Amino acid sequence: MAESRGKRPGAEYEKLAAKLREAITSGEFGSGDRLPSEESLAGTYGVSRGTVRQALAVLRANGLVTSRRGTRRVILGTARTQSFFELLSFSGWAHSIGEDPGSRTVAVEHRVALPLECEQLQLASGSRIYQVVRLRTLSRVPVMLERAIYPEQIGKLVADLPPEATSHASPLLDAGVVFADADHTVDLVEADGDDARHLGCVEGSPLLRERRRVTDPASTPLLWSDDRFLPGTVSFTVHNSVASTALSRRRG
């Protein structure tokens, strides 16, 4: 693998946008509240008003704030909640909450699988896979960069889809590929160069990462994905039940 390059410093307005995004998503400014004035923000963060305007333009493009002429920026509701209780594709989940999902394939690579990819997809060493990288949007606002790894026979089907195809799950289902179960691991990761370029964040800033391993009804792995979300755009919920735990114990 190529050596990782140093983090790009990022323009001053990008750094400020990242700080403001973190303040918004941490609840420092309540949803529906007005942001402080440009002059106040410039004084607080020690930057020029021009830098503040550029940073606010980034936040507006990312759907975090809105404004009308002559008024201060208003903070919009941020995180959409996705439950792990049922298995839904990104597009299916977005439609279920009234959002307009979008997708654009930014890279497709057909190559030999790395050892970890072979392990996750239960492939023999030296097997070939397809890696498909997609930018996912909600209401045309970038929220997630998806890096999906497919076994070769499934990846070929995905690679043949149009780059702007909103959903890959539906065409795969039409081809007889059934996503039945998924395991999810959620953590934080620093944005790399690709994340920064496509999501409009600063390289090295924190992203919410969801790693998914999806299997068919026979428990054969179909997909292993590394999905990276901008903070504050999506949250996840998990349902637990003492009843199901007790049932499992009785069956044990």
Side-chain angles (χ1 to χ4, degrees), residues 170-193:
S170 295
L172 288 177
L173 181 60
D174 292 341
V177 179
V178 179
F179 292 164
D181 297 282
D183 294 314
H184 306 264
T185 302
V186 179
D187 61 4
L188 289 177
V189 67
E190 290 187 353
D192 64 18

Side-chain angles (χ1 to χ4, degrees), residues 27-207:
E28 185 174 328
F29 309 109
S31 178
D33 288 351
R34 296 186 185 280
L35 278 174
S37 67
E38 290 179 0
E39 183 177 3
S40 176
L41 289 171
T44 298
Y45 291 97
V47 297
S48 69
R49 289 186 63 173
T51 297
V52 171
R53 291 192 193 98
Q54 288 179 295
L56 293 175
V58 172
L59 298 184
R60 184 175 182 180
N62 287 342
L64 290 180
V65 300
T66 187
S67 65
R68 292 193 299 271
R69 185 180 298 277
T71 64
R72 295 209 308 271
R73 276 77 173 177
V74 176
I75 298 166
L76 300 172
T78 52
R80 295 83 160 176
T81 300
Q82 180 176 4
S83 172
F84 287 152
F85 184 72
E86 59 180 328
L87 180 60
L88 286 174
S89 67
F90 178 88
S91 297
W93 162 73
H95 284 304
S96 75
I97 61 171
E99 285 281 358
D100 179 21
S103 174
R104 177 170 61 86
T105 298
V106 298
V108 177
E109 186 179 3
H110 185 208
R111 57 172 172 79
V112 174
L114 301 174
L116 180 58
E117 295 163 350
C118 288
E119 177 185 343
Q120 291 293 330
L121 294 177
Q122 297 178 6
L123 300 173
S125 177
S127 296
R128 297 183 67 81
I129 53 86
Y130 279 87
Q131 179 178 26
V132 180
V133 182
R134 287 196 290 170
L135 179 65
R136 311 304 298 271
T137 64
L138 293 175
S139 300
R140 300 184 180 181
V141 176
V143 298
M144 184 258 280
L145 191 66
E146 174 188 270
R147 296 171 172 87
I149 306 294
Y150 296 95
E152 189 171 36
Q153 68 276 18
I154 298 174
K156 187 178 187 307
L157 298 175
V158 174
D160 288 340
L161 295 174
E164 305 297 332
T166 301
S167 173
H168 287 178
S170 295
L172 288 177
L173 181 60
D174 292 341
V177 179
V178 179
F179 292 164
D181 297 282
D183 294 314
H184 306 264
T185 302
V186 179
D187 61 4
L188 289 177
V189 67
E190 290 187 353
D192 64 18
D194 288 337
D195 298 325
R197 182 165 58 257
H198 294 296
L199 293 174
C201 59
V202 176
E203 190 170 346
S205 61
L207 298 177

